[in-house]
């Protein structure tokens, strides 16, 4: 029934109905955390309906079965059950957290939300209004404007180029029938990933999962999504916004999570800008020149693309200098890679801090779901630090050359930067 990773006690549970569950059985506190994903998210939104998956996710706890929205929320509150749903580019996610004594009630309410969402007209309009209010706030938010513009340019004519939360005209046009149809399209057993952590036996968990998801169709009806490499390399986009401080994002093609060079690339990024107070970008941009309060870089990947990104926020008159310094440090990393001392410090930090991701059942469940979504093995938690330690300096330098050498970035700035064409 199970195959285990013993040190972290991650077991594979197969339910009677055939669902594959990653399970950590832990009775330290009487709580159960379950996370799941269906592998079709905002990228599945039809043309002219950007934000449909996010709209759908926002309605799943707004009444289900015989319970209208208020009664459904009261049933959750009565037994302190937490349910939440969300959508990202590639998946629609759900989270359940409950005391073990109320697990049966939690399973039943989650089953109703998954199988029989009501989409009552008043709930639809209330959630629509909430989404539109958020989108109107985003119209004057520098980070939102910069992010959306970068995605639009990097992924033109691709679903990834559209904002996950949608656009106001699209949200205004979405109908109740379209929400129901998208629900029917996205949910299927073949695209379901489930993890659970806490005070529940494998047998009780398997029975609960069958109760929740047993009525799903065998297959979701997803549209194929093409692979895409970052577009608009070398382009600089300036979005005019009357604010004293500009937000700057920079992007390059990245590496996927399953790429053989991923861990070497991850370490190179940590030295460059992922290590917060110890990174090169932090030292050069903030400490040496005082150009910005914070600066960062990261590797980001989706099912059909991958990016390296860096960013900062600085006064309008110092944007051009900040960009020059950031580009110089990225180029230097590509040309030279990290030093042996920098790599040793990066390894020490990444291996030492990894355990902090597992100090609550919710964090463990969230991390396990990420591993499942990325297609990593069930024993990855045990292997991860060994993978970090095994990376050589030569491998990190090679990954840095691949990522950062002789590549023109896509740059997006929101504000009124001076001296930047």
């Amino acid at each position: 029934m199970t195959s285990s990773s013993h040190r972290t006690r991650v077991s594979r549970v197969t339910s009677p109905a055939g669902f594959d569950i990653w399970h950590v059985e832990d009775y330290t506190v009487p709580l159960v955390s379950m996370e799941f994903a269906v592998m079709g998210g905002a990228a599945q939104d039809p043309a002219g309906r950007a934000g449909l998956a996010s709209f759908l996710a926002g309605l799943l706890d707004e009444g289900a079965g015989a319970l209208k929205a208020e009664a459904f929320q009261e049933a959750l509150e009565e037994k302190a059950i937490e349910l939440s749903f969300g959508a990202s580019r590639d998946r629609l996610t759900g989270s359940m957290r409950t005391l073990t004594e109320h697990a049966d009630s939690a399973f039943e309410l989650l089953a109703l939300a998954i199988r029989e969402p009501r989409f009552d007209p008043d709930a639809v309009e209330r959630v629509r209004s909430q989404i539109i209010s958020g989108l109107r706030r985003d119209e004057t938010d520098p980070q939102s404007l910069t992010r959306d513009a970068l995605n639009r340019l990097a992924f033109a004519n691709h679903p990834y180029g559209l904002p996950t939360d949608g656009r106001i005209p699209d949200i205004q046009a979405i109908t109740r029938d379209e929400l129901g149809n998208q629900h029917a399209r996205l949910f299927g057993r073949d695209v379901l990933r489930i993890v659970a952590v806490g005070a529940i036996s494998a047998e009780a968990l398997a029975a609960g999962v069958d109760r929740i998801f047993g009525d799903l169709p065998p297959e979701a009806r997803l549209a194929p999504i093409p692979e895409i490499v970052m577009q608009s390399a070398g382009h600089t986009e300036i979005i005019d916004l009357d604010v004293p401080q500009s937000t700057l994002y920079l992007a390059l093609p990245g590496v996927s999570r399953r790429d053989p060079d991923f861990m070497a690339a991850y370490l190179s990024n940590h030295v460059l800008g992922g290590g917060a107070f110890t990174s090169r970008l932090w030292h050069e941009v903030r400490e040496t020149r005082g150009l910005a309060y914070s600066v960062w870089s990261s590797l980001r990947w989706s099912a059909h693309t991958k990016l390296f990104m860096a960013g900062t926020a600085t006064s309008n008159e110092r944007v051009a200098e900040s960009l020059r310094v950031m580009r110089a440090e990225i180029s230097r990393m590509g040309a030279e890679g990290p030093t042996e001392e920098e790599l040793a410090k990066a390894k020490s930090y990444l291996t030492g801090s990894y355990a902090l991701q597992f100090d609550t059942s919710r964090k463990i469940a969230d991390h396990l779901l990420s591993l499942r979504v990325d297609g990593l093995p069930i024993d990855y938690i045990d292997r991860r630090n060994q993978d970090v330690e095994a990376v050589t300096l030569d491998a990190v330098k090679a990954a840095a050359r691949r990522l950062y050498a002789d590549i023109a970035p896509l740059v997006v700035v929101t504000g009124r930067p001076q001296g930047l064409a």
Side-chain angles (χ1 to χ4, degrees):
M1 184 176 184
T2 64
S3 62
S4 301
S5 172
H6 295 291
R7 279 182 289 170
T8 50
R9 305 184 308 281
V10 184
S11 299
R12 172 168 280 117
V13 176
T14 302
S15 77
F19 291 104
D20 179 32
I21 312 153
W22 285 12
H23 178 216
V24 176
E25 190 171 353
D26 183 355
Y27 295 90
T28 306
V29 291
L31 293 173
V32 179
S33 292
M34 176 186 289
E35 306 274 341
F36 74 87
V38 289
M39 302 304 295
Q44 294 291 323
D45 291 345
R49 294 295 185 268
L52 180 58
S54 292
F55 199 165
L56 168 62
L59 283 161
L60 291 179
D61 62 352
E62 292 286 341
L67 302 175
K68 296 195 73 173
E70 185 175 352
F72 190 87
Q73 291 298 320
E74 287 176 353
L76 293 173
E77 291 177 13
E78 181 182 355
K79 296 185 176 177
I81 298 166
E82 298 178 17
L83 292 185
S84 61
F85 303 92
S88 59
R89 279 177 175 168
D90 298 313
R91 59 188 187 266
L92 188 149
T93 57
S95 175
M96 182 198 79
R97 185 172 169 85
T98 181
L99 291 168
T100 305
E101 63 182 295
H102 299 316
D104 285 344
S105 296
F107 290 150
E108 181 58 31
L109 290 168
L110 180 54
L112 286 176
I114 298 301
R115 295 194 315 252
E116 304 177 49
R118 292 176 62 95
F119 304 130
D120 289 324
D122 59 336
V124 170
E125 294 311 314
R126 181 172 61 256
V127 173
R128 189 196 311 273
S129 178
Q130 293 167 354
I131 295 172
I132 290 173
S133 293
L135 293 174
R136 292 200 191 283
R137 288 193 298 271
D138 287 349
E139 290 177 339
T140 57
D141 177 66
Q143 290 190 0
S144 298
L145 291 169
T146 309
R147 175 201 65 209
D148 290 347
L150 188 142
N151 287 334
R152 172 176 51 80
L153 292 162
F155 309 121
N157 302 312
H158 189 277
Y160 286 175
L162 297 173
T164 300
D165 290 334
R167 301 173 297 196
I168 290 175
D170 292 15
I171 297 297
Q172 289 172 329
I174 290 170
T175 67
R176 182 176 183 273
D177 286 345
E178 288 172 329
L179 289 160
N181 290 338
Q182 193 73 341
H183 175 264
R185 285 186 60 237
L186 295 184
F187 281 86
R189 295 173 58 144
D190 62 322
V191 296
L192 183 63
R193 309 288 184 268
I194 310 167
V195 303
V197 177
I200 188 169
S201 69
E203 293 74 19
L205 174 61
V209 165
D210 283 357
R211 189 172 169 188
I212 297 165
F213 301 108
D215 289 342
L216 290 184
E219 296 181 352
R221 294 183 280 115
L222 304 182
I225 305 298
E227 299 292 313
I228 185 167
V229 176
M230 189 198 87
Q231 303 175 42
S232 304
H235 175 72
T236 297
E237 182 89 353
I238 299 174
I239 302 168
D240 182 68
L241 189 68
D242 188 10
V243 288
Q245 181 171 268
S246 291
T247 296
L248 183 159
Y249 285 2
L250 174 157
L252 295 166
V255 295
S256 74
R257 186 61 186 82
R258 302 300 302 278
D259 192 295
D261 292 338
F262 174 81
M263 192 56 74
Y266 191 73
L267 283 159
S268 75
N269 173 72
H270 184 86
V271 174
L272 175 62
F277 308 114
T278 62
S279 73
R280 288 185 180 181
L281 289 177
W282 178 272
H283 178 76
E284 294 299 326
V285 172
R286 174 172 169 161
E287 290 191 347
T288 301
R289 296 172 175 82
L291 294 171
Y293 180 76
S294 67
V295 61
W296 54 269
S297 69
S298 66
L299 298 177
R300 303 188 179 186
W301 58 93
S302 302
H304 304 286
T305 197
K306 57 270 186 184
L307 286 179
F308 162 83
M309 289 183 62
T312 192
T314 187
S315 60
N316 288 326
E317 60 271 17
R318 307 198 78 178
V319 173
E321 183 183 1
S322 298
L323 179 59
R324 283 196 300 272
V325 173
M326 291 171 68
R327 291 190 63 164
E329 285 305 309
I330 293 168
S331 295
R332 184 164 75 91
M333 178 61 76
E336 303 172 5
T339 66
E340 193 168 341
E341 180 182 4
E342 286 175 323
L343 179 58
K345 288 181 177 179
K347 287 182 176 183
S348 177
Y349 176 84
L350 291 174
T351 55
S353 63
Y354 191 52
L356 298 177
Q357 299 186 42
F358 311 113
D359 58 355
T360 68
S361 60
R362 179 175 291 172
K363 285 184 180 180
I364 296 169
D366 184 66
H367 188 69
L368 288 176
L369 184 63
S370 295
L371 298 182
R372 291 210 69 176
V373 166
D374 288 337
L376 295 169
I378 195 170
D379 65 346
Y380 181 78
I381 290 175
D382 291 342
R383 292 168 39 185
R384 186 266 193 179
N385 280 356
Q386 297 173 14
D387 290 349
V388 173
E389 294 288 3
V391 178
T392 66
L393 182 61
D394 285 344
V396 177
K397 288 183 175 182
R401 284 194 298 274
R402 173 182 166 186
L403 278 171
Y404 313 125
D406 301 321
I407 299 176
L410 165 61
V411 177
V412 180
V413 181
T414 299
R416 292 191 171 168
Q418 299 175 17
L420 190 66

